[in-house]
Amino acid sequence: MSSVADNIARIRSEIGPFVTLVAVSKFKSPEQILEAYYAGHRDFGENRVQELVEKAEKLPKDIRWHMIGHLQTNKVKYIAPFIHLIHSVDSEKLLTEIQKQALKANRTIDILLQVFIADEETKFGLNDTECLHLAQKIYQGHFPNVRLRGLMGMATNTNQTQKIESEFLHLKNLFDQLRTTYPDTQLDTLSMGMSGDYPIALRCGSTMIRVGSAIFGSR
Ligand SMILES: *Cc1c(COP(=O)(O)O)cnc(C)c1O
């Protein structure tokens, strides 16, 4: 069995220096996270606020924590003081709360808008129109303590490569459209690709992949 450090090294060599690897550590113990940390890894993703906060308290302070799961408005306050990037912004209500808590914490919070690209009912996210509308509101200055860095999406869980590819390309097109509409902004992050589909996501222009089981083993 390969170690956490070996897995990270292998994936890093596949993705090259310009793509960020977020190690998804949900359900994994602080000890397992430290294995990656001591191998030099700093970006970790969690999908539940409570678990994220508990781990952040125990683990080294230079870890960059990514919130990748559905975020409830009433939980934003727990992560606002330290979160590195929120990938899962899927409503104006949530954005409003992030603005409020970021101001309170006296910082700017980096966010991604989560876009629904799959054909599965269970996945959260904005449609294209809602996404463009929220981006417009952000650039009109309604959320001064929020910095939009890009988009996040999850493809359908299928082994049909072409379907996954067309979903990722859809997100890439939307990302490019935003970058064209709003040049001179910090839109530099396209978070797409997980253990099962990150090679496809990379071909489609991903700049950030979120990988759990291929690093830590399956749950
Ligand atoms: C769990 C999770 C991942 C990682 O999934 P793996 O298949 O284990 O790589 C990526 N993104 C989100 C939003 C997740 O919840």
Side-chain angles (χ1 to χ4, degrees), residues 24 26 47 68-69 152 154 193-196 210-214 219:
V24 176
K26 61 189 183 201
N47 66 343
I68 62 170
M152 184 272 245
M154 288 163 90
M194 320 194 336
S195 295
R210 309 175 311 274
V211 178
S213 44
R219 291 178 290 276

Side-chain angles (χ1 to χ4, degrees), residues 9-26:
R10 175 178 46 78
I11 297 168
R12 276 208 183 137
S13 73
E14 287 168 22
I15 69 181
F18 304 116
V19 172
T20 303
L21 172 61
V22 177
V24 176
S25 50
K26 61 189 183 201

Side-chain angles (χ1 to χ4, degrees), residues 113-174:
L113 295 176
Q114 181 173 356
V115 180
F116 181 88
I117 54 172
D119 67 3
E120 292 162 357
E121 298 261 322
T122 55
K123 291 188 177 152
F124 293 97
L126 303 156
N127 66 33
D128 292 14
T129 311
E130 292 165 337
C131 171
L132 294 170
H133 176 72
L134 266 192
Q136 185 184 39
K137 282 213 143 179
I138 292 170
Y139 291 123
Q140 281 169 346
H142 294 279
F143 308 96
N145 293 69
V146 168
R147 184 165 43 216
L148 180 60
R149 300 298 296 267
L151 303 180
M152 184 272 245
M154 288 163 90
T156 303
N157 185 9
T158 171
N159 48 25
Q160 298 172 54
T161 303
Q162 278 193 343
K163 180 171 177 59
I164 296 169
E165 194 170 86
S166 79
E167 291 172 354
F168 282 151
L169 285 176
H170 178 113
L171 192 62
K172 165 70 167 150
N173 283 334
L174 191 62

